């Protein structure tokens, strides 16, 4: 497994390329590779073919190919006549070859297909994707302990210093609209965009901790958020590359915990560092973590996007056989289009999809849910620093309550999938039907009640006469609401638009992040002027008002989708 991971990684591809396939070879680069006969370029003479036909029958494998020692070698390209071609086509009937020049998987059990990887390999790759997401997401909240030091050193106001958080969130909201669509181009795939953008994410952190003015910090916080964005927007799409639809909800749930864990742990590790060594140290921690992740991912994260894997296979087979007619389905689909046309379509697609009624409805709703979340976060320093007198390091510890509730929330979500949603889906399939994507929203609507409940408990128990653990418990109850809302909407939009997962997730990230990014700027003023109790009550009221909006999407979402040419027809 490790050898395959390294071979399929970014570093592995580079080593394979410069060694011309001698190092870290793919199966079709080995001397013993059995070439499917229909991939060979032109017929032999009849006299030669009559000899070859008998041998080929004896040396066929399960995919209907013939051995290179008999029909084909890397050093000497032999070819077959019409009779041998007829035989090879009969052997390949199980592969359903409608066009013999299209390079597909060699069978349902092709080991290069990410969905056929071993459970251990799939789990490890899922962990790597979650690590990448965690690394970028932690960059938002790890900045918050630096804000007091930035205010003091550069003599700026709290809203001015908080712009570093706002611009980072805005950057990772805008970035996917330009970077994620490139991941749907087979020539790039997932990995090349992930690795290139993560490298720039690391490089552009350097001007932040070496800055001599606030303007530099703010500019490069936006830039780092922009280049870190593909991991946040399309990590779920990468999970969909390697897991079947039955398993996807579970693994996207784990990935989402990694996404939630970043903003939660950021203030914890950043707070103690800033308290001990100044505002630059949380930024040092971020570059150390992201550099470590970059090295691990460069060495071990394989390509997961099916069209890219098959495109690379087609390129190797063209070189091996000399048959320039071989191509992947993605290449065939874009025949006659210029590079500019392909890029234009890919870059415009997220903006076109973002205007889809169902998607816009879901994205704006989730954007406001996140906006309330980010606004409410600004109450934490008022509660735990001003009321309970926690120092800068300790003030991040209450966020750990979210991790405790995350464990219970994910367990409950997995049980719901296992014992309610999946059996229901199976029954629908047994009747020849498919559950509508809107069914994914039901649990999100139920879980929404946790948000106002959490806000009310937190707001009205934050006082010196009540132990600090009570508002911590109240805050922890927020996570089931926002987590399951997030899960249900992401599963909804990707199941409704399965062919454009990266683009619809990019659009969701844009709406979610741009709406939420503005709210931290006035969060402290909001709670100081209204008070913790009334301010939390107002947010709870808004959250309750959003629940009928969510119900409307559940009830009438299918009508909105009928207007689209991109969506699944169910």
């Amino acid at each position: 497994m490790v050898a395959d991971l390294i071979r399929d990684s970014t570093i592995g591809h580079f080593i394979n390329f410069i060694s011309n396939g001698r190092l870290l070879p793919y199966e079709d680069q080995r001397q013993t590779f059995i070439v499917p006969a229909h991939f060979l370029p032109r017929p032999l003479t009849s006299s030669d073919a009559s000899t070859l036909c008998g041998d080929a029958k004896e040396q066929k494998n399960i995919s209907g190919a013939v051995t290179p020692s008999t029909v084909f070698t890397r050093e000497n390209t032999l070819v077959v006549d019409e009779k041998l071609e007829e035989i090879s086509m009969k052997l390949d009937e199980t592969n359903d070859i409608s066009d013999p020049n299209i390079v597909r998987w060699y069978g349902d059990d092709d080991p290069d297909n990410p969905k056929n990887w071993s459970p251990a390999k799939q789990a490890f790759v899922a962990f790597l994707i979650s690590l990448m997401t965690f690394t970028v997401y932690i960059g938002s909240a790890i900045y918050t302990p630096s804000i007091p030091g930035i205010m003091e050193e550069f003599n700026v106001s709290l809203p001015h210093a908080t712009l570093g958080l706002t611009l980072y969130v805005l950057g990772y909201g805008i970035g996917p609209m330009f970077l994620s669509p490139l991941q749907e181009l087979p020539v790039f795939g997932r990995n090349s965009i992930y690795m290139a953008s993560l490298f720039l994410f690391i490089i552009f952190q350097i001007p932040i901790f070496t800055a001599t003015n606030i303007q530099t910090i703010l500019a490069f916080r936006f830039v780092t958020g922009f280049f870190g964005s593909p991991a946040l927007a399309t990590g779920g799409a990468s999970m969909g590359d390697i897991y079947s639809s039955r398993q996807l909800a579970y693994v996207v749930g784990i990935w989402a915990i990694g996404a939630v864990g970043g903003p939660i742990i950021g203030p914890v590790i950043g707070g103690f560092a800033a308290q001990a060594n100044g505002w630059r140290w949380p930024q040092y921690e971020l570059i150390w973590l992201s550099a470590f992740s970059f090295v691990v991912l460069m060495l071990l994260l394989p390509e997961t996007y099916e069209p890219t894997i098959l495109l690379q296979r087609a390129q190797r087979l063209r070189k091996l056989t000399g048959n320039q007619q071989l191509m992947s389905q993605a290449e065939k689909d874009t025949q006659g289009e210029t590079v500019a046309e392909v890029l234009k379509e890919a870059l415009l697609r997220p903006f076109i999809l973002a205007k889809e009624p169902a998607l816009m409805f879901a994205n704006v709703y989730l954007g406001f849910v996140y906006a309330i979340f980010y606004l409410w976060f600004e109450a934490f320093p008022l509660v735990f620093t001003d009321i309970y007198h926690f120092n800068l390091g300790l003030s991040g510890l209450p966020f750990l309550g979210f991790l405790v509730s995350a464990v219970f929330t994910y367990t409950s979500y997995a049980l719901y999938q296992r014992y309610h949603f999946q059996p229901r889906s199976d029954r629908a399939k047994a009747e020849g039907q498919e559950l509508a994507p809107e069914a994914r929203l039901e649990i999100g609507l139920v879980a929404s009640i946790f948000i106002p409940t959490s806000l009310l408990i937190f707001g009205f128990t934050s006082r010196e006469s009540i132990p600090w653990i009570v508002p911590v418990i109240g805050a922890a109850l927020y996570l089931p609401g926002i987590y399951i809302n997030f899960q249900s909407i992401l599963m909804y939009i990707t199941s409704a638009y399965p062919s454009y997962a990266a683009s619809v997730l990019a659009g969701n990230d844009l709406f979610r992040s741009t709406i939420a990014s503005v709210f931290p700027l006035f969060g402290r003023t909001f709670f100081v002027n209204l008070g913790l109790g009334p301010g939390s009550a107002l947010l709870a009221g808004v959250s309750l008002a959003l629940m009928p909006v969510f119900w409307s999407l559940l009830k009438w979402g299918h009508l909105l989708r009928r207007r689209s040419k991109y969506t699944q027809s169910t």
Side-chain angles (χ1 to χ4, degrees), residues 140-152:
S140 61
I142 204 172
Y143 173 83
T144 55
S146 297
I147 290 177
I150 291 173
M151 291 171 61
E152 181 179 353

Side-chain angles (χ1 to χ4, degrees), residues 133-134 139 161 165 196 246 288 315 348 420 442 538 552 566 569:
T133 303
F134 173 84
L165 171 61
R246 289 181 66 89
W288 294 337
Q315 291 170 338
L348 287 178
H420 176 76
E442 294 171 355
L538 178 58
S552 299
Y566 299 101
S569 59

Side-chain angles (χ1 to χ4, degrees), residues 209-379:
F209 58 74
T210 60
T212 57
N213 56 70
I214 186 66
Q215 291 82 5
T216 301
I217 294 174
L218 299 182
F220 282 96
R221 283 288 293 175
F222 174 81
V223 172
T224 51
F226 182 93
F227 284 109
S229 61
L232 311 184
T234 52
S238 293
M239 294 295 190
D241 293 339
I242 60 179
Y243 284 99
S244 67
S245 58
R246 289 181 66 89
Q247 301 167 301
L248 187 58
Y250 302 100
V251 293
V252 170
I254 295 174
W255 170 73
I257 290 178
V260 170
I264 290 171
I265 295 176
V268 178
I269 63 174
F272 286 106
Q275 178 180 323
N277 298 299
W279 71 266
R280 287 180 169 83
W281 272 80
Q283 311 312 309
Y284 294 153
E285 291 176 323
L286 179 57
I287 198 170
W288 294 337
L289 174 61
S290 52
F292 168 78
S293 299
F294 178 73
V295 172
V296 171
L297 295 166
M298 284 286 287
L299 286 172
L300 295 175
L301 181 64
E303 179 58 60
T304 62
Y305 192 44
E306 177 179 321
T308 298
I309 297 172
L310 292 176
L311 171 63
Q312 293 168 349
R313 173 178 285 183
Q315 291 170 338
R316 295 193 301 270
L317 287 172
R318 285 198 293 266
K319 182 178 180 180
L320 177 62
T321 64
N323 184 359
Q324 298 304 310
Q325 299 302 312
L326 297 179
M327 65 181 68
S328 66
Q329 186 63 50
E331 289 178 293
K332 183 178 181 180
D333 292 342
T334 56
Q335 269 187 319
E337 296 184 19
T338 64
V339 174
E341 289 172 336
V342 173
L343 282 173
K344 180 181 178 182
E345 180 184 356
L347 291 172
L348 287 178
R349 187 182 300 127
F351 294 96
I352 295 171
L353 288 170
K355 296 188 296 183
E356 291 281 299
L359 287 176
M360 182 173 289
F361 205 92
N363 292 342
V364 171
Y365 168 80
L366 195 58
F368 279 105
V369 170
Y370 261 73
I372 293 171
F373 187 54
Y374 274 76
L375 178 61
W376 175 59
F377 258 28
E378 296 302 304

Side-chain angles (χ1 to χ4, degrees), residues 494-542:
T494 52
S495 59
Y497 297 80
S499 300
Y500 306 102
S503 292
V504 298
L505 289 172
N508 178 267
D509 196 19
L510 173 68
F511 279 88
R512 189 175 74 240
S513 301
T514 51
I515 294 173
S517 66
V518 180
F519 282 66
L521 294 176
F522 58 86
R524 185 178 181 89
T525 302
F526 174 84
F527 283 106
V528 168
N529 290 338
L530 290 181
L532 287 167
S536 296
L538 178 58
L539 295 182
V542 174

Side-chain angles (χ1 to χ4, degrees), residues 29 76 87 102 137 149 156 173 207 258 264 280 294 370 384 388 399-400 413 434 443 452 466 519 530:
Q29 292 175 320
N76 180 28
I87 294 172
I102 296 296
Y137 256 127
V156 295
I264 290 171
R280 287 180 169 83
F294 178 73
Y370 261 73
F384 297 105
Y388 294 108
F399 290 98
L400 295 179
Y413 179 73
E434 291 282 345
I443 188 173
I466 297 176
F519 282 66
L530 290 181

Side-chain angles (χ1 to χ4, degrees), residues 374-394:
Y374 274 76
L375 178 61
W376 175 59
F377 258 28
E378 296 302 304
F380 275 60
L382 292 173
V383 173
F384 297 105
T385 302
D386 296 353
I387 296 178
Y388 294 108
H389 309 296
F390 287 15
N391 61 34
L392 184 59
L394 292 176

